[in-house]
Amino acid sequence: MKANKVRHGALEEYAPNHFMVHDIRVRPFIRGEGDVEGNRFVMTSWRRDGLMARLAERGLIMVTIESLTESLPALPVPASIADEARWHPLGHASERWSYYDPRQRGIIACETVTHTDQQGIWLYPGCMVRRRRGRGQAEWYRSQTQGTHTIQFTPLDEDSAVLQGLAQATRYTQEPIAVRAGENEHVIVEIPLLPRAHQGVLARCATPDREGLVWQCHPDHLHLVSGVLARVNVFLTNSESNPHA
């Protein structure tokens, strides 16, 4: 096995207390701290912080779900959204448009209507919008006013658009998300669409449905889920806890 990998660290937590061993130099330190099988290490002792400190003294990094969470991009400054909608004609009949609604923290399909004998949509400049042509790949844009009547569209990658939409949501809603009981002693959380980096960290402590919007985890790992969501200013609550818990 190669020496310490900077990208992954010497130990990398891929699930709560489950680690990939990327550097053989950690083996003397993890002996007696849990179960080791091949390049997998399951920590069973309570000396997690002590192990991290001992590894750090030797220049070895223990990448944890918490450290990955701290490295996630924070929300950008939210762009303003206009109070009045503007008309935008369709360039082709196969176009389908959606926009990120910060009040619902979700993507809403735009209704195609006829205006001045043209097919088109109404949009609020400033919103993050998505266009799909037929069965092609979706394209994301930042919508902006242009002149007196038209809208300008600046291309964005999906993650930047979603992160901006979540930032805009902080101006409209601070409503926490309720946690509900699931099967097999798990809890279920309906989570807004997140950028891929945030989803990647979340997937280390929770399991999503096919759409990636409903996640379940063990109650002991709910604090890890909360940590990821806090990076985008989304908080959890339930019937027995306070908001932002």
Side-chain angles (χ1 to χ4, degrees):
M1 187 178 296
K2 294 182 180 180
N4 186 31
K5 296 181 180 180
V6 175
R7 180 182 176 186
H8 299 292
L11 279 179
E12 179 189 1
E13 192 172 25
Y14 63 89
N17 292 318
H18 288 65
F19 296 84
M20 289 288 294
V21 179
H22 293 300
D23 193 319
I24 59 176
R25 292 177 293 171
V26 305
R27 291 186 178 275
F29 299 96
I30 62 178
R31 188 177 298 119
E33 301 291 350
D35 302 320
V36 181
E37 184 175 347
N39 64 347
R40 304 296 177 98
F41 165 56
V42 180
M43 189 169 190
T44 57
S45 78
W46 53 270
R47 296 184 292 269
R48 181 183 175 104
D49 291 342
L51 175 61
M52 290 181 63
R54 292 194 299 276
L55 291 175
E57 289 176 356
R58 271 76 176 179
L60 301 172
I61 303 300
M62 181 174 171
V63 176
T64 65
I65 294 174
E66 290 92 341
S67 66
L68 289 170
T69 298
E70 292 174 1
S71 69
L72 289 171
L75 292 177
V77 176
S80 299
I81 298 176
D83 294 328
E84 295 185 5
R86 287 196 175 188
W87 170 254
H88 178 71
L90 296 184
H92 194 276
S94 66
E95 287 184 354
R96 289 175 292 161
W97 289 78
S98 306
Y99 70 98
Y100 188 96
D101 185 349
R103 292 177 176 82
Q104 300 184 49
R105 290 189 292 217
I107 300 172
I108 307 299
C110 296
E111 181 183 2
T112 300
V113 296
T114 300
H115 177 68
T116 61
D117 296 326
Q118 289 181 299
Q119 290 286 296
I121 55 174
W122 289 93
L123 285 173
Y124 289 90
C127 281
M128 303 301 109
V129 296
R130 184 179 69 184
R131 179 180 65 176
R132 191 184 301 274
R133 299 177 182 178
R135 297 184 179 181
Q137 187 174 1
E139 301 168 334
W140 280 89
Y141 303 90
R142 180 198 304 271
S143 62
Q144 299 166 289
T145 57
Q146 184 179 44
T148 307
H149 303 290
T150 59
I151 302 177
Q152 176 184 355
F153 297 98
T154 303
L156 285 177
D157 61 89
E158 179 176 341
D159 290 340
S160 297
V162 172
L163 203 61
Q164 175 59 226
L166 288 164
Q168 291 176 327
T170 63
R171 291 183 169 179
Y172 294 93
T173 178
Q174 295 291 329
E175 189 70 23
I177 297 174
V179 177
R180 66 178 192 269
E183 298 178 353
N184 301 321
E185 299 182 352
H186 281 61
V187 293
I188 297 175
V189 185
E190 294 186 21
I191 293 175
L193 179 64
L194 300 175
R196 284 171 293 183
H198 296 69
Q199 290 188 52
V201 177
L202 194 60
R204 297 179 185 235
C205 52
T207 304
D209 67 352
R210 182 174 297 181
E211 301 298 325
L213 299 177
V214 179
W215 297 69
Q216 65 173 348
C217 71
H218 191 278
D220 290 348
H221 306 151
L222 196 56
H223 70 286
L224 298 171
V225 174
S226 296
V228 174
L229 295 179
R231 294 293 294 173
V232 293
N233 223 43
V234 174
F235 303 98
L236 301 179
T237 186
N238 58 47
S239 58
E240 298 179 356
S241 66
N242 296 321
H244 300 193

